[in-house]
Amino acid sequence: MNIAWYLVVSAIIFCIGVTGVLVRPNPLVILLCLELMLNAANLALVAFSRMWGNSDGQVFALIVMVVAACEVTVGLGLIVAIYRRRMAVNVDELNELRG
Amino acid sequence: MSAVLFFIAAIGAITGAVGVVMLRNPFYSVLALVGHLISLAALFLLLRAEFVAAAQVVVYAGAVMVLYVFVVAYVGGADEPLHSPGGALRALAPLFALAVAVELCIALLGTGLTAINSRGAHYVFGFGTPRQIGQEFLTTFLFPFEVASLLLLMSAVGAVVLARRRRGLEGTDEFEDRFAAVPRPAFTGTMAEGAGIRGGAGTTSRPAAQERPLGVSSGDPR
């Protein structure tokens, strides 16, 4: 398959992720949609790495996976902390800094 | 053959992504994401990125998703409406997503990279194997590698600090104490009895006040 096909799939997944972040009110699902966007970027990176025959893109993809894992850990910790304080797990209601 | 595999994996990945956004229960969203990640690993394999595909399945679909499942089970993944009632901006959200899609289409169609219409560079044996990736990480990309390990450590510590039980906040919680202090008749099979925390019959002491030091001592490494 041509590299362009992989890029098309990557673009579609990225747009689906953007839609999810904008539409869903639940922070858990928003984190999942962020994962979708990061994975779309990963697919593009690996596709370009294949295009050039150079493995630097794959190293970059692995670093992106590490950063995504960190982001998920901290994000889920925040959600658990919000839940512990008996606040609604909903980004529409969590719009104040005073907590 | 590779075209058939590509379309199966691509359709699986896109279906999983749509499932993440459209399913109402967050638990099913997580499961859809697992399917998406595994399809994406198949795409990585088709692109000859063996190590990235393996890491995707083991680290992402394995470890990170388990974290998600635990948190969804803890927070309680109740069904929720897909669209919250309020918010004029939320009605515009699909429009913004469409704008991003149009931009990406323009970027793809108007690209000056002629090589994306080829099947990629000539495959050299050993491309994308753990041996090559490891060599890259320990020679060319040693500094990002070390920074990544530091970042992982920081996020692990940060998550524990964020999600730990705060005694200052929960100890003053009147709601919890009031309900825990209701004297229940003895030998009715409450959990506190089973744990041997409550004293004799008709004890009016507050079990919550006794449970809390016990919970702390159970976290003690001794």
Side-chain angles (χ1 to χ4, degrees):
Chain A
M1 295 304 293
N2 288 345
I3 300 296
W5 284 95
Y6 292 94
L7 297 179
V8 168
V9 172
S10 158
I12 292 172
I13 294 172
F14 189 86
C15 292
I16 295 171
V18 170
T19 316
V21 168
L22 291 175
V23 167
R24 296 297 298 264
N26 189 333
L28 270 168
V29 184
I30 288 179
L31 275 181
L32 288 174
C33 293
L34 284 178
E35 298 289 312
L36 281 184
M37 290 159 72
L38 286 167
N39 276 311
N42 262 353
L43 182 58
L45 282 173
V46 174
F48 282 126
S49 145
R50 176 80 187 92
M51 181 175 111
W52 293 107
N54 186 340
S55 63
D56 290 5
Q58 296 184 13
V59 172
F60 201 161
L62 286 167
I63 296 284
V64 168
M65 279 165 68
V66 169
V67 172
C70 292
E71 165 243 324
V72 162
T73 319
V74 174
L76 290 179
L78 275 174
I79 291 174
V80 168
I82 290 169
Y83 181 74
R84 282 253 174 85
R85 301 199 57 180
R86 298 209 174 79
M87 285 151 56
V89 185
N90 184 333
V91 288
D92 288 338
E93 296 170 28
L94 295 171
N95 51 7
E96 287 169 343
L97 273 179
R98 70 185 163 83
Chain B
M1 184 62 194
S2 84
V4 175
L5 282 178
F6 169 80
F7 279 110
I8 292 174
I11 289 171
I14 293 173
T15 313
V18 171
V20 170
V21 177
M22 297 303 289
L23 288 172
R24 293 173 55 185
N25 193 326
F27 195 78
Y28 294 143
S29 289
V30 174
L31 293 186
L33 190 64
V34 172
H36 165 82
L37 292 174
I38 290 173
S39 308
L40 216 58
L43 284 180
F44 288 163
L45 272 184
L46 285 174
L47 286 169
R48 311 259 182 189
E50 302 159 20
F51 182 68
V52 180
Q56 174 100 355
V57 170
V58 172
V59 175
Y60 239 124
V64 175
M65 288 302 120
V66 167
L67 196 64
Y68 263 112
V69 168
F70 270 114
V71 171
V72 169
Y74 180 71
V75 173
D79 280 357
E80 58 180 33
L82 271 181
H83 302 279
S84 63
L89 273 179
R90 203 170 287 281
L92 287 177
L95 221 62
F96 286 122
L98 202 68
V100 175
V102 169
E103 280 177 30
L104 284 175
C105 284
I106 291 172
L108 269 179
L109 291 176
T111 177
L113 296 170
T114 49
I116 65 169
N117 289 321
S118 72
R119 297 172 65 101
H122 181 66
Y123 174 65
V124 193
F125 183 73
F127 175 71
T129 52
R131 178 195 173 94
Q132 194 194 5
I133 301 289
Q135 211 161 21
E136 293 269 4
F137 260 130
L138 290 180
T139 55
T140 321
F141 298 103
L142 183 61
F143 184 65
F145 184 64
E146 297 295 338
V147 169
S149 63
L150 192 66
L151 187 68
L152 277 171
L153 179 67
M154 274 162 53
S155 75
V157 173
V160 170
V161 168
L162 279 173
R164 78 182 192 280
R165 192 176 287 277
R166 286 173 181 75
R167 301 199 56 188
L169 289 175
E170 300 218 338
T172 57
D173 201 337
E174 291 178 12
F175 179 83
E176 193 181 26
D177 283 2
R178 196 166 64 226
F179 276 88
V182 173
R184 301 182 195 88
F187 308 115
T188 47
T190 58
M191 287 178 74
E193 268 179 17
I197 293 170
R198 288 193 69 180
T203 310
T204 52
S205 71
R206 293 163 50 161
Q210 296 172 1
E211 275 172 35
R212 199 156 279 133
L214 190 80
V216 170
S217 69
S218 73
D220 211 25
R222 284 178 300 155

